Amino acid sequence: MTGSPHLSDDRSDSGRVRWRRFAVLTVPAVAVTAGLGIALAQGALAASFAVSGQQFKVSASSLEGEGFAQYGGVDVNAREELIPVAVTAIREAKLSNLCQSVVTTLPVIGDISLNLTAGKKTPVEASNLFVDATQLAGDAVFSNIEIGRDASTLDKGPADAQGMQDLFAQQADTVRITGLQQTAWATNAGTFKLSGLSMYVSKGKKECF
């Protein structure tokens, strides 16, 4: 009889531990869901699809665009993790000597490179172009640029090129970038016309830059 209260306490303690563990496990999921809901409501989400776990590189000898906008945003991967990005949006763009590369490392085989090139003779043309990037380099010239504009009020880029209220953004009538080098998570475009397209897969690490 003296052992009964002890057994009862063990069951009670075990129940409390399980509930605590359950609460700890569910908090991250709830936080992610809440974060996604806030991002959706405030227009922070960038790509309209779950991005892969790999960034890719893009280079071009020149980019000429009409209707430029740039602001902060968030991409989401298949694990529902939030990834901060800088969204570059251009209403009409032309790119010369476009190169795109991504490297995948596989067990036993090692590095595998996927390379795409286009626009060597005739420039690549894109409309309503959105690039979610983490790095951008090159020599840039803007016309009628506005720096520090509220991201929710942008009106020179594509129709949907707006970010969250109160956040920093910039826009310009036109942009020209020579020696473009960019690392990105995602690219969206209304139309994407690639003249002289060439795609190939090879062993080893072969990137655009």
Side-chain angles (χ1 to χ4, degrees):
M1 293 296 292
T2 57
S4 296
H6 179 69
L7 290 174
S8 176
D9 288 342
D10 279 351
R11 292 191 187 99
S12 178
D13 290 344
S14 177
R16 282 197 292 270
V17 170
R18 289 194 185 101
W19 276 110
R20 286 170 185 158
R21 287 176 181 170
F22 175 78
V24 169
L25 290 172
T26 56
V27 164
V30 171
V32 168
T33 302
L36 287 173
I38 293 172
L40 281 168
Q42 297 182 339
L45 287 184
S48 58
F49 52 85
V51 301
S52 74
Q54 296 176 279
Q55 294 191 77
F56 56 91
K57 293 186 175 182
V58 177
S59 68
S61 59
S62 67
L63 178 153
E64 295 185 7
E66 295 183 2
F68 167 88
Q70 192 173 61
Y71 54 94
V74 177
D75 280 348
V76 183
N77 63 21
R79 295 183 178 86
E80 295 190 340
E81 297 169 334
L82 305 181
I83 303 169
V85 295
V87 180
T88 298
I90 304 175
R91 195 171 61 250
E92 298 289 341
K94 292 184 178 180
L95 302 96
S96 298
N97 296 309
L98 175 69
C99 173
Q100 179 178 302
S101 66
V102 61
V103 178
T104 301
T105 302
L106 300 175
V108 182
I109 298 176
D111 290 336
I112 299 294
S113 297
L114 171 64
N115 293 78
L116 179 152
T117 60
K120 291 184 177 180
K121 295 182 179 180
T122 304
V124 170
E125 298 179 6
S127 64
N128 296 325
L129 176 67
F130 290 79
V131 181
D132 303 347
T134 55
Q135 175 269 334
L136 185 151
D139 297 319
V141 177
F142 302 91
S143 66
N144 297 322
I145 190 169
E146 299 173 356
I147 301 173
R149 181 161 177 151
D150 188 298
S152 67
T153 68
L154 295 171
D155 58 8
K156 291 189 176 183
D160 296 330
Q162 291 184 337
M164 294 174 63
Q165 185 176 349
D166 297 329
L167 290 192
F168 173 92
Q170 55 187 2
Q171 64 176 4
D173 288 343
T174 65
V175 58
R176 176 177 173 81
I177 303 176
T178 56
L180 172 68
Q181 294 182 345
Q182 191 165 237
T183 305
W185 284 105
T187 296
N188 290 340
T191 60
F192 207 40
K193 183 179 178 181
L194 296 97
S195 59
L197 173 64
S198 175
M199 186 181 73
Y200 57 93
V201 177
S202 58
K203 291 189 66 175
K205 194 172 184 178
K206 301 176 182 178
E207 298 181 289
C208 296
F209 62 89

